[in-house]
Amino acid sequence: MSATSYINGLGRYVPPRAVSNADLEKLVDTSDEWITARTGIKVRHIAEKGQPSSDLAYEASKRALEHAGIEPGELTHVLVATCTPDSYCPNTASMLAHRLGVGTPMAMDINAACTGFLYSLEIARSLLCTYPDAKVLVTASEVLSSRTNWADRSTCVLFGDGAGAAVMTNKPTGELPFSVGPMQLRSDGQYADLLTIKGGGSATPYTLGETVREDFFITMEGREVFKQAVRNMAALCKELLEKAGMDINDVDLLVPHQANLRIIEALGNRLKIDRNKVFSNVQKYGNTSAASIPIALTEGIEQGILAKGDSVLVTSFGAGLTWGAGLLQA
């Protein structure tokens, strides 16, 4: 697939409610020192109770459309990457499209957990190959707080809510379009039990009146996830660069999934990239799953970290297990 697709607009949104490490000290047996040392996270933003993913997606999408100079009615496809949809059905993408006033586009949700945005970019590229005049909205939105066990100190300190969005077409427009270059995407279900949200699914259904079980919430084997994340992202990034005829010195900025600062640092070390070229904002938002990379890209533009001509390497890892890497050219 040739690199003919462009991200012409980006947008991000996080809920206004900020929860600090000090706030979490009042809920579970933890401390700011413990959380910071193990994750690098200081603050995460949390949606109001009952606020759905489509709310966050709507705000991020409005900003992305404005940045791209595209009206909602021009969109032909709406994709939402999420593992915390508003409901099993209807899908979140349909509700987002309706709220934006898109009309009657193709609309679907994509669940690849934290790798969902990269999976969605690849699907959008395929759609643009099939429909050259298409205008595709790719949104990643998560309300992970709705599936967080706030009594589990090993997981509740990690996650935050947020959304990021990108508008894709086959023609570059705007001040800083990104061409979407080669991508590599992987999955391996043999490690599925390392990171799960099972409760309420068809494999583990609830019956009417049954008490919600712990499996309704995020469960994770942290040490093994750490090892798999670093190993697989690093290997795939190297494979991608080799196939593109590049090496790590050709990369101006590495934008990894913002899961944990220790993972980000270990990945940078394994890739042997200058630390100044590794983007991180996990301290401000925590792990926002699929939303973390579009939030990071948007912030990179806002802060002037991303500039015209930059080669950007993006990579992510999540439940499934899924992982991916891609090259963007500003």
Side-chain angles (χ1 to χ4, degrees), residues 152 163 180 214 321 328:
D152 178 7
V180 181
E214 287 189 6
L321 296 174
L328 307 177

Side-chain angles (χ1 to χ4, degrees), residues 147-166:
R147 288 292 188 126
T148 296
N149 179 353
W150 294 101
D152 178 7
R153 77 168 189 167
S154 67
T155 58
C156 75
V157 301
L158 298 174
F159 299 102
D161 302 333

Side-chain angles (χ1 to χ4, degrees), residues 19-32:
V19 176
S20 68
N21 292 345
D23 294 326
L24 291 179
E25 290 175 1
K26 301 170 186 176
L27 295 178
V28 291
D29 181 16
T30 192
S31 68
D32 173 66

Side-chain angles (χ1 to χ4, degrees), residues 13-169:
Y13 177 78
V14 294
R17 181 187 170 201
V19 176
S20 68
N21 292 345
D23 294 326
L24 291 179
E25 290 175 1
K26 301 170 186 176
L27 295 178
V28 291
D29 181 16
T30 192
S31 68
D32 173 66
E33 182 182 10
W34 188 91
I35 298 169
T36 303
R38 285 161 178 78
T39 72
I41 299 166
K42 287 289 189 179
V43 178
R44 69 284 297 148
H45 290 255
I46 303 298
E48 296 302 318
K49 186 176 182 179
Q51 185 177 21
S53 286
S54 61
D55 264 17
L56 280 58
Y58 174 73
E59 296 296 336
S61 298
K62 285 195 304 180
R63 291 160 171 77
L65 287 163
E66 182 179 356
H67 187 214
I70 290 177
E71 295 296 324
E74 299 177 61
L75 295 171
T76 56
H77 302 77
V78 176
L79 309 178
V80 174
T82 185
C83 63
T84 53
D86 291 20
S87 58
Y88 275 124
C89 62
N91 66 28
T92 303
S94 295
M95 291 183 280
L96 172 62
H98 173 70
R99 188 169 175 188
L100 287 169
V102 175
T104 56
M106 170 186 159
M108 69 176 181
D109 291 357
I110 296 139
N111 182 359
C114 302
T115 321
F117 181 71
L118 299 190
Y119 269 62
S120 299
L121 288 184
E122 185 74 334
I123 291 169
R125 291 177 70 211
S126 300
L127 289 169
L128 286 162
C129 284
T130 305
Y131 306 101
D133 296 324
K135 296 179 180 179
V136 184
L137 174 66
V138 178
T139 305
S141 184
E142 302 284 15
V143 181
L144 292 166
S145 60
S146 66
R147 288 292 188 126
T148 296
N149 179 353
W150 294 101
D152 178 7
R153 77 168 189 167
S154 67
T155 58
C156 75
V157 301
L158 298 174
F159 299 102
D161 302 333
V167 179
M168 290 182 63
T169 70

